[in-house]
Amino acid sequence: MPIGFIGLGNMGLPMARRLVDAGHDIVAFDTCSDALARLGAPAATSPRDVADRAETVLASLPNPAVCLEVATGSAGVIEGARVKRYVDLSTVGRPTAAQIHELLAQRDIVALDSPVSGGVSGAERGVLALMVSGPRAEFDDLEPVLNALGHPCYLGDTPGSAQTMKLVNNILAANVLVATAEAVVMGVKAGLDPAIMIDVLNAGSGATSASRDKFPRAILPRTFDYGFATGLMVKDVRLYLEEARALGVTVELAETVGRLWEAAAASQGADSDFTSVIKPFEEAAGVTVRPARR
Ligand code: NAD
């Protein structure tokens, strides 16, 4: 029996490929026919069609509204004849995950939320962190499939717990990328070579996931092609702020970081790569973070 996969974007395509490489038959759907062609697996005509053909359906989709429609809309997974288990790999926040869980449960479909961390390269190499919440027995059944994608971590059976974990992860990733961008721009303005700065940070106590990975890969070479859209980071920061405010916890730092991400999306465009967040800092300082020729 094939596994269904919906959403073959930056993350979904390499994840679906990993499943094919691990020997699974895949039936896939994406609204973009090019993405379907790139995978080369049998294509379905709608999320419902996927769920007519597979008992387990995975999805990697851009935002909560799309996830809700794909899972529970009129041509959604919920209408499928064969589906028993729906696994959402997207970042949608706790309330949407809980809503999907509740609506699918009314049709005896089990929902697991399983947001991921590790970026496109982690998806390609099968080393993602997969944060999973849902019934333990379903997680145990699914683990061999998830092992092809990375390291599954079980967060508990409360729907949406894994989403909370993912938002905690991403607010920290959002913080350190803007913090590193702001500080490196300051150093460049003072005359330092950014390539040397990144080497020093990575050897010292200022190292972050941004200095270790995002700067060498996409900022110093000026390619801005890490594979995560600025608009997706804005979505994640907003979801974090919504959940944190609902809990009544302090969000002083996250609000400031959120304003910087909102400004980056406004000036660079929501579809820009999220490493472009450094450009407003560069423009304000009148410098470019480009390594000196050696
Ligand atoms: P993406 O925009 O590259 O891919 C989304 C895919 O969904 C696209 O191929 C699009 O055509 C498809 N799609 C949109 N609407 C659809 C619909 N109604 N039915 C079927 N397909 C539809 O996004 P991405 O970067 O792959 O991210 C996917 C999810 O994973 C997001 O929730 C994101 O926050 C999360 N995520 C992304 C990264 C990353 O580094 N890119 C890392 C971790 C988590």
Side-chain angles (χ1 to χ4, degrees), residues 6-15 29-33 35 38 47 59-64 66-67 69-70 88-92 115-121 128 166 170 226-229 232-233 235-236 274:
I6 303 172
L8 301 171
N10 284 329
M11 294 298 284
L13 184 62
M15 285 194 273
F29 177 70
D30 194 298
T31 42
C32 169
S33 52
R38 278 196 292 275
S60 176
L61 295 162
N63 59 51
V66 170
C67 286
E69 182 62 25
V70 163
D88 199 342
L89 302 157
S90 330
T91 308
V92 296
V116 303
S117 177
V120 173
S121 87
L128 292 170
K166 167 65 181 169
N170 270 31
Y226 191 85
F228 185 54
L232 291 182
M233 186 52 104
K235 169 209 47 149
D236 292 353
F274 81 143

Side-chain angles (χ1 to χ4, degrees), residues 27-180:
V27 55
F29 177 70
D30 194 298
T31 42
C32 169
S33 52
D34 284 356
L36 277 167
R38 278 196 292 275
L39 180 63
T45 55
S46 66
R48 177 189 183 153
D49 186 26
V50 174
D52 277 339
R53 292 153 72 171
E55 284 187 359
T56 298
V57 177
L58 280 63
S60 176
L61 295 162
N63 59 51
V66 170
C67 286
L68 198 57
E69 182 62 25
V70 163
T72 66
S74 55
V77 169
I78 196 166
E79 301 295 341
R82 190 168 272 173
V83 62
K84 293 194 170 135
R85 187 198 279 155
Y86 178 70
V87 184
D88 199 342
L89 302 157
S90 330
T91 308
V92 296
R94 181 181 280 261
T96 302
Q99 193 181 353
I100 289 173
H101 168 90
E102 200 179 310
L103 291 169
L104 293 186
Q106 291 169 13
R107 302 279 184 96
D108 291 328
I109 305 165
V110 175
L112 292 112
D113 54 310
S114 178
V116 303
S117 177
V120 173
S121 87
E124 286 168 349
R125 290 178 293 127
V127 295
L128 292 170
L130 294 117
M131 299 154 249
V132 188
S133 46
R136 177 81 215 198
E138 295 288 338
F139 171 75
D140 290 341
D141 267 7
L142 194 65
E143 216 177 347
V145 174
L146 298 182
N147 282 338
L149 306 179
H151 309 292
C153 307
Y154 184 64
L155 271 296
D157 60 6
T158 308
S161 294
Q163 291 292 333
T164 304
M165 182 65 239
K166 167 65 181 169
L167 295 179
V168 168
N169 180 84
N170 270 31
I171 194 67
L172 289 173
N175 281 357
V176 298
L177 182 50
V178 286
T180 312

